[in-house]
Amino acid sequence: QKEVEQDPGPLSVPEGAIVSLNCTYSNSAFQYFMWYRQYSRKGPELLMYTYSSGNKEDGRFTAQVDKSSKYISLFIRDSQPSDSATYLCAMRGAGGTSYGKLTFGQGTILTVHP
Amino acid sequence: DADVTQTPRNRITKTGKRIMLECSQTKGHDRMYWYRQDPGLGLRLIYYSFDVKDINKGEISDGYSVSRQAQAKFSLSLESAIPNQTALYFCATGDGGYTGELFFGEGSRLTVL
């Protein structure tokens, strides 16, 4: 069983829809949770970052972490065609030596059509 | 110019050949990483380096080696390439800050025939 599971999709939604992307994980040592966005032929770039359980909002994006259920989500409101990309969840444990040693989900391919 | 530059961007080679993927960065970060991306598997850590004298194996280091030539340069080598090393390879840097954010290059697509 993979440490981090993410539905690969693909997910296709109309412009303006609310998108929900999810990951589950099995390692209770994970403390830091991230969402990366990867456009075609580009490297991933950090979109959202959350420490431990709770919600974090940034514009149209909301990241949620439920450590008791080992479940994280990314919500995109009012989705735009420019949001079309692959979304990767990533997580790591605590401690300085864990920096950069991320465990990634498989990535979800999202297409937002006009 | 990109902050993290990878060369080559695309490479096709044959089984048994030696291949080197190079990475250079202008972000001034001490920490550098090599990840591999495969469809359905996400990104997996191959090697990482916290400074010039520090090299560490990641999750999938077998069949790979690395060299940290300078703070800004980190290369990945496949001594004898095999077809299941066909993948998209990413170099990344990090400053070790609170978020642990990584900054990725644009990737090197390697095909081993």
Side-chain angles (χ1 to χ4, degrees), chain B residues 26-94:
Chain B
T26 58
K27 296 192 74 67
H29 292 161
D30 288 328
R31 301 179 183 212
M32 298 187 74
Y33 307 81
W34 277 104
Y35 279 87
R36 166 179 171 162
Q37 187 174 33
D38 298 275
L41 295 177
L43 283 91
R44 293 177 291 167
L45 182 61
I46 306 172
Y47 269 97
Y48 62 101
S49 169
F50 284 175
D51 63 45
V52 174
K53 297 181 181 179
D54 176 76
I55 300 290
N56 303 281
K57 293 182 177 181
E59 179 186 355
I60 53 165
S61 59
D62 287 348
Y64 302 95
S65 63
V66 291
S67 174
R68 185 80 184 267
Q69 300 94 328
Q71 187 211 31
K73 296 184 181 295
F74 192 37
S75 60
L76 176 71
S77 294
L78 289 67
E79 296 300 326
S80 180
I82 56 178
N84 76 0
Q85 291 178 314
T86 293
L88 185 56
Y89 291 85
F90 286 101
C91 175
T93 73

Side-chain angles (χ1 to χ4, degrees), chain A residues 20-89:
Chain A
S20 173
L21 305 168
N22 310 293
C23 289
T24 59
Y25 64 95
S26 58
N27 189 341
S28 58
F30 289 143
Q31 298 285 339
Y32 296 84
F33 305 91
M34 285 143 270
W35 287 93
Y36 279 80
R37 178 174 61 193
Q38 183 179 17
Y39 290 116
S40 180
R41 295 188 173 85
K42 298 291 186 180
E45 55 182 358
L46 183 66
L47 184 62
M48 296 283 286
Y49 162 86
T50 309
Y51 170 68
S52 196
S53 286
N55 293 359
K56 185 174 185 179
E57 188 173 322
D58 184 1
R60 296 185 294 110
F61 299 89
T62 300
Q64 287 186 351
V65 174
D66 181 350
K67 289 189 67 181
S68 63
S69 301
K70 296 188 175 66
Y71 189 87
I72 72 170
S73 300
L74 177 70
F75 297 96
I76 306 174
R77 292 184 299 279
D78 188 25
S79 56
Q80 302 295 310
S82 59
D83 295 327
S84 299
T86 298
Y87 290 80
L88 299 138
C89 63

